[in-house]
Structures are given as C-alpha cells and as structure tokens.
Amino acid sequence: MSNYHKEQLLGRVHDPEKVAFINTLNDDELNALAGMYTTASSELIENHPQAELMHAIRVIYYRQVIDWASEKADETQAEIIKFIDSPTFVQYPDFLLEDSFVSAIKNEMMQNHSKTITDLQGSTFSKGPELEILGARLVGDAPNQRVEILMLSNQIKPFPGTNEYMIFEQDRMDIPPKALTGLLKRNPTARTRGRGNEVYISMESPYPGHYGEPQYTEVVIGHFGEDSIIIPIEDV
C-alpha cells in the first residue's frame, strides 16, 4: 500500500524538494498524506518535525493545487516571462509616470463594487489573494493602445458543489502564484461612482464568489492629481 500511496502523491506533487521529501517517508507517513483522513493521521501530520511541509503536500494532493515543476506551473511562468519580455513592459509603479502609458489609459465608468489595491494586499480576511502588481505593457497601436497590467495572486480552487472558493497561500505552501491580467482605466470626472479621476484595473476577480465577490471587479491603484500626475493609492 505504501508504494501505491507514494505513486499517488508523486502524480500530484512535482516540486523536486517535495518529491525528495516524499521519498524519505515511511509507510505511516505516506498513509497520513494520501490515505483516508483519520484522527491518527491528522495527529501524525501535526506532530511531524516537518508539519508545515506535510500539511502542504496533503493539501496539494487532495485539492489538486498546482505545484512547482508541474506542466501548469511551467505554463504560468512562460506567460509571465512573455509579458515581462514585451518591449513596452515597465515595472510597477514606474509606468504610472510614463507619458506613453498615461496617454493610453481609457476613460470608463467605474462600477459600484470596486476595491483598492490595499484591500487585496494583506487581506482583512484570514487568507486573501495577496494581489501583487508586477508591471504593465502597451497593447495595440495608437490611437487605440491599451495599458495591460500583469499581477500575481494566491491560487484559488472552488469548494465542490458551491460558488465559494478556497484560497491557498503561496508562501506558506511553497506553491506557484496565479497570474492575472487586467486593463488600466480612468474613472471620468463626471461620475456617479467614486470621486472621479480614480485610476483602476478592470479585471477578473481574484476570488469570484468568495465572500460574495463578483466575477469581475475594478481595483483602484491611484488618482490623477495636479498636472495629470498619477498618485499611487498608498500615497493618497
């Protein structure tokens, strides 16, 4: 049975360090990770010298979370590299001061379910998306250029049979982040939502359905100040 459990684990866990760790485990430890949940298996994991790693492997296995060195993780890394290698890429927050980026921001009315970037960094919930902006690139040709934003967040998975999502903390579990993209926009001064002149990212929600989140959201990252200078939300 131990060989069966090891094969099952290695079918889901791909990070070389985790794989090497799995290969050191005895039958009881393998059973605790890949077998049926019992009080004894839970206590074995909790009391193990590498309890955090044991817990992470069990979650990756049962929840089918994406691990390092997996095909999906490699695809995500390739997507990030392709975005960053764009000839127009500028890291955050430097692009907020680039005339070519500022002039390409489109006006669009912000919805009433907007958040700020600080809402999604170090969430007020016990776990959150920990949204991180990497940078931006220009897409298309003038005068129809758009500003596309690249972000990273914690991985999420839906609870079976519900619209709610479980959030997996990448730092704690040592797993790859999820890559997200969105478009940078400006809330018009003549507005019905917000105070006007907000600079926001129109994007797919990092956790749609979680705590009532919509499928799409607007995330405010700054405001236009005097002389059309964008002030990051942290400095407002």
Side-chain angles (χ1 to χ4, degrees):
M1 182 62 74
S2 61
N3 286 336
Y4 172 78
H5 285 153
K6 181 183 289 189
E7 290 176 4
Q8 292 295 103
L9 289 168
L10 296 180
R12 295 287 185 195
V13 178
H14 303 279
D15 177 9
E17 292 187 8
K18 297 189 188 81
V19 169
F21 175 72
I22 289 171
N23 284 323
T24 69
L25 300 179
N26 60 39
D27 291 356
D28 290 340
E29 292 165 334
L30 291 169
N31 180 63
L33 293 178
M36 294 182 60
Y37 174 85
T38 64
T39 301
S41 66
S42 178
E43 290 178 350
L44 189 155
I45 291 173
E46 291 177 5
N47 297 324
H48 195 277
Q50 296 284 343
E52 285 286 324
L53 183 54
M54 292 281 284
H55 173 75
I57 291 173
R58 183 174 175 88
V59 172
I60 290 169
Y61 172 69
Y62 274 102
R63 297 294 293 148
Q64 301 181 26
V65 180
I66 298 168
D67 194 20
W68 294 111
S70 66
E71 182 177 345
K72 183 61 178 178
D74 290 345
E75 290 174 359
T76 298
Q77 292 302 304
E79 178 184 349
I80 293 170
I81 291 171
K82 181 180 179 180
F83 194 109
I84 292 175
D85 282 348
S86 169
T88 61
F89 177 81
V90 178
Q91 66 183 10
Y92 176 79
D94 295 350
F95 64 78
L96 297 177
L97 299 176
E98 293 282 342
D99 290 340
S100 57
F101 282 82
V102 174
S103 62
I105 298 174
K106 306 303 181 187
N107 284 341
E108 186 171 307
M109 195 70 69
M110 194 165 62
Q111 302 300 313
N112 63 355
H113 50 63
S114 63
K115 292 185 174 295
T116 69
I117 184 64
T118 51
D119 291 332
L120 302 178
Q121 293 171 331
S123 174
T124 54
F125 307 119
S126 60
K127 298 178 183 177
E130 297 289 351
L131 193 66
E132 176 188 3
I133 302 174
L134 294 187
R137 66 183 178 186
L138 295 173
V139 179
D141 299 318
N144 297 314
Q145 278 187 324
R146 299 167 296 158
V147 181
E148 190 173 49
I149 307 294
L150 174 64
M151 298 156 285
L152 301 180
S153 76
N154 285 332
Q155 287 187 47
I156 64 170
K157 288 280 187 177
F159 284 106
T162 74
N163 291 324
E164 292 298 308
Y165 283 73
M166 179 180 291
I167 300 173
F168 302 97
E169 299 164 288
Q170 66 183 77
D171 291 339
R172 180 185 175 196
M173 294 184 58
D174 188 23
I175 54 175
K178 177 182 179 181
L180 299 167
T181 58
L183 294 177
L184 195 62
K185 298 181 180 180
R186 175 180 184 171
N187 193 30
T189 304
R191 79 281 182 189
T192 59
R193 305 291 183 193
R195 76 186 201 189
N197 276 331
E198 291 94 341
V199 179
Y200 67 93
I201 304 170
S202 178
M203 59 180 289
E204 182 180 348
S205 173
Y207 46 67
H210 196 74
Y211 297 107
E213 288 295 317
Q215 183 69 31
Y216 294 93
T217 191
E218 287 85 30
V219 179
V220 178
I221 65 171
H223 288 82
F224 272 96
E226 296 181 1
D227 301 323
S228 295
I229 299 297
I230 298 176
I231 305 171
I233 192 69
E234 296 90 344
D235 300 327
V236 174

